[in-house]
Amino acid sequence: SSLALDSGVGDIHLQGVTGLETFSLQTGGTLLLGASISAGTLSASGVTGGVVVAGQNINITTTSGNVDFSNASGINAMTASGQSLSINAGNGNISLPGVGLNTPLATVTLNGNNISLVGVTTTNEQSYSGNVHLRGNLSTTAGGGIQINGALTLLGNAGITAAGASNILLNGTVDGGYALSLTTTGQISLNGAVGGTTALASLTVNSGTANIKSVTTSGNQNYLSAVTNIAGILNSKTGAIDFNGVLNI
């Protein structure tokens, strides 16, 4: 079965969708998500207005195909820290506009093949399973950690900030000719090569403890952590490499 909803410039209020093979959404108004969506394929590239996560825990699940909200003006919570969003696209790709940049969600969990992000702000945890393409900032504001299980490719200068003593965990490679800044009072772990394929413009790491493998940048590397553990080679092509704390090799 299939369902297509087109409201023109009017709003669409969804209170749950399940059992559809194909589901299509198009609106220039507000898309209000009051309950979860489960469909074989979801077409949402026609959503050009704002998306509001209204239900407490919204899950969007597809068995095949992509989840593309990239043309929306943004995805925000109904109330700050009051709602969470989880998207599972399986082997499909996920493309999102800015998430929580006006009203932060509580948590965001994304699972897909490739995950394209403009920027995400939550109060608590963020978790990404897939290859992340980032052109902005990821940040938590009330103590949640940020974890990426896949390669991270920078499409612009980016910052990843976890509030308090939460951890930042990047379990794949990091590449892209842009600046990356990582900040938390907890632990930062870069478990894959950084700049191994495409050198970063610069890297700044500021944390309680940092665990670093190999890093290649065209410019400066600044390690401001209290303790930095290095398990590989640091290569700055034209810049300096500075340490502000204890260095363990």
Side-chain angles (χ1 to χ4, degrees):
S1 59
S2 301
L3 177 63
L5 300 178
D6 184 349
S7 68
V9 296
D11 299 339
I12 296 177
H13 294 190
L14 286 179
Q15 293 302 320
V17 174
T18 187
L20 293 175
E21 293 178 5
T22 61
F23 183 39
S24 174
L25 292 167
Q26 184 166 328
T27 180
T30 298
L31 173 62
L32 194 76
L33 300 177
S36 296
I37 297 173
S38 178
T41 61
L42 172 65
S43 175
S45 59
V47 176
T48 57
V51 179
V52 176
V53 180
Q56 185 174 7
N57 296 294
I58 298 299
N59 299 299
I60 298 175
T61 304
T62 63
T63 55
S64 62
N66 303 329
V67 176
D68 184 1
F69 283 99
S70 61
N71 292 325
S73 60
I75 299 175
N76 288 284
M78 174 70 79
T79 57
S81 191
Q83 293 79 32
S84 293
L85 177 64
S86 174
I87 300 177
N88 185 354
N91 292 324
N93 299 324
I94 299 173
S95 300
L96 301 182
V99 176
L101 303 188
N102 293 327
T103 308
L105 281 78
T107 64
V108 167
T109 303
L110 304 180
N111 178 26
N113 184 26
N114 292 295
I115 301 170
S116 297
L117 302 173
V118 173
V120 179
T121 299
T122 58
T123 52
N124 296 306
E125 291 80 8
Q126 297 178 26
S127 177
Y128 305 96
S129 295
N131 298 317
V132 173
H133 302 263
L134 179 62
R135 62 176 68 252
N137 300 324
L138 305 178
S139 62
T140 66
T141 62
I146 298 174
Q147 181 168 330
I148 297 177
N149 297 315
L152 172 60
T153 300
L154 303 180
L155 302 179
N157 295 334
I160 300 178
T161 303
S166 302
N167 297 332
I168 296 174
L169 181 59
L170 307 184
N171 281 325
T173 57
V174 180
D175 286 289
Y178 297 94
L180 176 63
S181 176
L182 307 172
T183 305
T184 181
T185 59
Q187 180 173 285
I188 294 173
S189 295
L190 304 180
N191 292 327
V194 175
T197 300
T198 303
L200 273 61
S202 64
L203 176 66
T204 300
V205 178
N206 190 353
S207 63
T209 301
N211 301 310
I212 311 293
K213 287 194 174 180
S214 297
V215 177
T216 300
T217 59
S218 58
N220 295 338
Q221 297 178 30
N222 295 300
Y223 299 95
L224 307 177
S225 303
V227 177
T228 300
N229 303 310
I230 304 294
I233 297 173
L234 304 182
N235 178 14
S236 177
K237 295 180 179 180
T238 60
I241 301 177
D242 293 326
F243 296 94
N244 239 18
V246 176
L247 172 62
N248 294 320
I249 299 176

